[in-house]
Amino acid sequence: MQSITKNNFDFIRVLLAFIVFVGHLGALSDSSQLEFLSNSPVEIAVFSFFIVSGFLIARSYERSSSLKSYIKKRINRIVPAYLLVVLLCAVLLSLVSTLSFSDYFGNAQVYKYLFWNSIFMNFMAPSLPGVFGNEAVNGALWTLKIEMCFYFAVPLIFLLFGKNNKYRNLSLIILYFLSLIFLNYFEMAGKISISKQLPGSLCYFIGGMLGYFYFDQFIKYKNTLFIIAIITVWIDLILHIKLFSPIMISIIVLYIAYSFKFLNNFGKYGDFTYGIYIFHFPIIRVFATLGLFANFNPFFMSFICMLVVIGVGIASWHLYEKKFL
């Protein structure tokens, strides 16, 4: 049986972060030549992040020596870099604000932004005064509050249903379908942004968890499951309903994670994905605000923007994030 530790999750996370970057580049650059990039499947990439988290967090909790150890590891992975990007945006984006320094730092909105974003409630204060036309500073951060909720949900699930209890997996399947009801109801009602919130996104996280709990069975039948998953996802797309596609996308993600062995060592130089994800949105917006996409070749500036985002992600990991781990 294949080892659970030999996988391509590092590659998958970088790929997903790149998909999100490309989609946001098309949407935020204000360049008609780059508009086609907004067709990048950002939503699928974000949900796939939740799938990966479901698998790895369930594994992390089972392997942790105590609840305290688990919580410490999870907080240290997410919170320090998250607070860093919130603080840096509040300070450095004063340079591109239409307000003067004194007016900017004298504006209460700056401190509302710092407070609400520091406790993961980005929707309460998404903008900074005079920055990016008072639009959202970092629209990518909405997923982090959901991720944190998932982190705390895993111990609760184990507490209620046990670590080796058949009722645990049954409860997860029930929660999966309840999540789907929420997701589909609000999507059909045209309230897409609500549908992506909890508990709508929970079905993807549960898909990853079930992949972990049934890992041996998955590995044994992964090729057959992969074919079934591809067909089922297409059926859901044709019917415009999410019924089995979340669990099937989970199978596809895990299939990629445990195939193509040449990608197993993709993350040997560090885990840059988180830094790339949390910093890319404001960096793209700075490029657009400075007119770099409009006044220069937009494809060349997209390449430069990508290099800057990757460089910031690498620096964030080596100079800051890994110190907490």
Side-chain angles (χ1 to χ4, degrees):
M1 194 63 67
Q2 184 169 346
S3 170
I4 198 169
T5 59
K6 296 291 184 181
N7 56 63
N8 303 324
F9 283 124
D10 289 323
F11 166 77
I12 289 174
R13 286 184 293 197
V14 170
L15 175 63
L16 296 177
F18 182 73
I19 290 172
V20 173
F21 167 77
V22 168
H24 285 158
L25 187 64
L28 301 174
S29 63
D30 291 328
S31 170
S32 58
Q33 292 177 271
L34 298 177
E35 191 174 353
F36 75 97
L37 296 177
S38 60
N39 294 317
S40 178
V42 172
E43 180 180 297
I44 293 177
V46 169
F47 287 146
S48 296
F49 270 123
F50 293 154
I51 292 167
V52 173
S53 289
F55 186 96
L56 295 179
I57 299 310
R59 177 181 159 209
S60 174
Y61 182 75
E62 275 206 328
R63 295 174 62 192
S64 295
S65 58
S66 66
L67 177 61
K68 180 180 178 181
S69 171
Y70 165 80
I71 292 176
K72 181 180 179 181
K73 286 188 292 185
R74 300 278 53 86
I75 289 178
N76 284 347
R77 184 65 193 99
I78 291 292
V79 174
Y82 176 88
L83 293 179
L84 176 67
V85 73
V86 169
L87 178 62
L88 288 180
C89 282
V91 175
L92 296 181
L93 292 181
S94 62
L95 299 173
V96 295
S97 174
T98 56
L99 303 182
S100 65
F101 282 126
S102 58
D103 288 341
Y104 177 85
F105 287 107
N107 194 304
Q109 181 62 23
V110 174
Y111 306 101
K112 288 180 181 178
Y113 174 86
L114 281 168
F115 173 74
W116 288 114
N117 281 265
S118 66
I119 59 172
F120 293 88
M121 298 183 70
N122 321 91
F123 60 92
M124 294 295 294
S127 62
L128 287 166
V131 176
F132 307 147
N134 293 319
E135 294 182 353
V137 168
N138 197 341
L141 296 186
W142 71 271
T143 63
L144 275 300
K145 67 178 181 296
I146 295 177
E147 188 81 2
M148 288 296 290
C149 289
F150 288 156
Y151 287 175
F152 290 105
V154 169
L156 183 61
I157 289 171
F158 276 96
L159 176 65
L160 293 175
F161 303 106
K163 284 192 173 184
N164 297 293
N165 195 317
K166 63 181 180 180
Y167 295 114
R168 177 198 59 202
N169 293 348
L170 178 60
S171 69
L172 286 176
I173 293 171
I174 293 172
L175 287 173
Y176 172 84
F177 283 105
L178 290 175
S179 172
L180 279 182
I181 291 172
F182 181 95
L183 177 65
N184 283 290
Y185 173 81
F186 283 102
E187 280 200 353
M188 291 177 179
K191 299 178 180 179
I192 306 298
S193 60
I194 296 178
S195 70
K196 296 177 183 178
Q197 303 296 325
L198 284 173
S201 56
L202 182 62
C203 54
Y204 293 93
F205 187 79
I206 288 175
M209 290 185 70
L210 290 173
Y212 173 72
F213 293 135
Y214 290 105
F215 180 75
D216 289 345
Q217 294 91 326
F218 165 76
I219 290 298
K220 186 176 181 179
Y221 301 107
K222 71 173 185 175
N223 293 327
T224 302
L225 288 171
F226 176 73
I227 295 172
I228 294 173
I230 293 293
I231 295 172
T232 306
V233 168
W234 276 110
I235 292 174
D236 276 14
L237 287 173
I238 293 170
L239 297 177
H240 299 288
I241 187 172
K242 291 183 173 72
L243 185 55
F244 295 107
S245 55
I247 196 70
M248 294 302 161
I249 293 174
S250 301
I251 290 173
I252 294 170
V253 170
L254 296 179
Y255 177 85
I256 297 171
Y258 287 96
S259 304
F260 318 111
K261 292 183 180 180
F262 64 92
L263 296 172
N264 283 178
N265 296 319
F266 195 85
K268 64 181 179 179
Y269 297 110
D271 184 3
F272 316 133
T273 307
Y274 186 45
I276 290 172
Y277 182 80
I278 62 176
F279 281 102
H280 80 276
F281 199 99
I283 291 175
I284 294 173
R285 289 218 125 150
V286 168
F287 270 63
T289 299
L290 296 177
L292 299 180
F293 297 116
N295 298 323
F296 300 93
N297 184 299
F299 296 101
F300 176 72
M301 293 314 303
S302 296
F303 179 71
I304 298 299
C305 184
M306 181 184 70
L307 292 181
V308 171
V309 168
I310 293 173
V312 170
I314 292 173
S316 176
W317 169 255
H318 283 294
L319 301 179
Y320 187 74
E321 293 174 53
K322 73 177 183 180
K323 296 181 184 298
F324 294 90
L325 302 176

